[in-house]
Amino acid sequence: MMQCCFSGALFLEAKRGSTFQFTEQGQDPIEFDHHDLANGDPVESLIPDEGKTNVCKPTKWNRGGYDVIFVTAGSGKKLALRLGQVTKSMSHSLKLQYFAEVVSFLKNAGYIIESMEIAFIVPRQLISDFRVLPSKVFGRGLLSHADLPLTLGKSKWAKGKEEELVTVYGVDLMLMGYHKQT
């Protein structure tokens, strides 16, 4: 998949050309402290109205195993989660304990997690070669109770298969204003 960003909104473009809009145009991310999740602080500020999506990001970039969380509210207290990790590397570790903390935090607040996607956002030219190495997956099995999005064709985060179940999106860094330093 490929990702493009326009006017402050985050769009994802599938390889086949279909487009998914994650956020409402111009929406500012909701910042939170990772320690707030671990300490069970109130969650209401992260949860959008039914049918809407909030973009949430940790206040400190080097906390946890993710850089952004997309929370989409369904009916009742049902949520779909997309957690993203941005990297310019060809490979990355997958520290599942941080993702499990988010799920646990929301479940303890009374929410039902309908699906959870873990995505790596990489430069477009790395999309085909990017890998999560099996030796760099930590906390195997911590998400085995969590459902995958139906679009991924499987139902659960299978223990021992986590590195195969992540989604990889590519971003065109030049379109986003990033220029390699010489």
Side-chain angles (χ1 to χ4, degrees):
M1 292 192 175
M2 294 174 45
Q3 175 184 8
C4 297
C5 187
F6 302 101
S7 303
L10 183 61
F11 293 82
L12 294 181
E13 183 181 43
K15 286 183 179 176
R16 293 179 192 88
S18 60
T19 302
F20 305 95
Q21 181 178 359
F22 277 98
T23 68
E24 294 185 34
Q25 197 159 357
Q27 178 188 10
D28 290 327
I30 298 167
E31 293 192 6
F32 68 94
D33 189 317
H34 179 79
H35 295 293
D36 292 345
L37 294 181
N39 294 330
D41 286 359
V43 67
E44 289 75 26
S45 65
L46 302 179
I47 308 301
D49 294 332
E50 185 176 327
K52 303 280 186 183
T53 299
N54 275 351
V55 180
C56 310
K57 70 176 193 125
T59 53
K60 295 182 181 179
W61 66 270
N62 61 348
R63 299 282 187 228
Y66 51 86
D67 295 312
V68 64
I69 304 173
F70 298 95
V71 181
T72 303
S75 62
K77 296 193 98 177
K78 296 177 182 174
L79 301 175
L81 302 177
R82 286 187 167 142
L83 294 97
Q85 173 72 53
V86 179
T87 183
K88 293 190 293 180
S89 299
M90 295 277 292
S91 66
H92 204 280
S93 62
L94 181 60
K95 298 175 181 174
L96 296 165
Q97 69 270 23
Y98 296 110
F99 303 102
E101 285 176 5
V102 172
V103 170
S104 178
F105 172 71
L106 293 167
K107 281 187 169 187
N108 289 341
Y111 291 93
I112 299 164
I113 309 305
E114 284 198 305
S115 67
M116 186 179 71
E117 176 182 9
I118 297 174
F120 284 89
I121 303 161
V122 303
R124 185 175 63 185
Q125 64 271 22
L126 297 181
I127 196 168
S128 297
D129 298 323
F130 178 82
R131 299 287 178 264
V132 174
L133 302 174
S135 63
K136 297 291 185 179
V137 178
F138 304 98
R140 288 193 182 275
L142 288 175
L143 298 177
S144 60
H145 62 284
D147 291 325
L148 287 161
L150 293 176
T151 55
L152 296 181
K154 300 193 188 288
S155 61
K156 298 277 186 196
W157 279 90
K159 182 177 180 180
K161 301 285 185 188
E162 292 94 345
E163 67 275 7
E164 299 170 20
L165 298 174
V166 299
T167 306
V168 181
Y169 295 106
V171 63
D172 188 327
L173 295 175
M174 297 301 279
L175 282 177
M176 297 186 73
Y178 176 82
H179 301 283
K180 189 174 183 179
Q181 302 291 327
T182 55

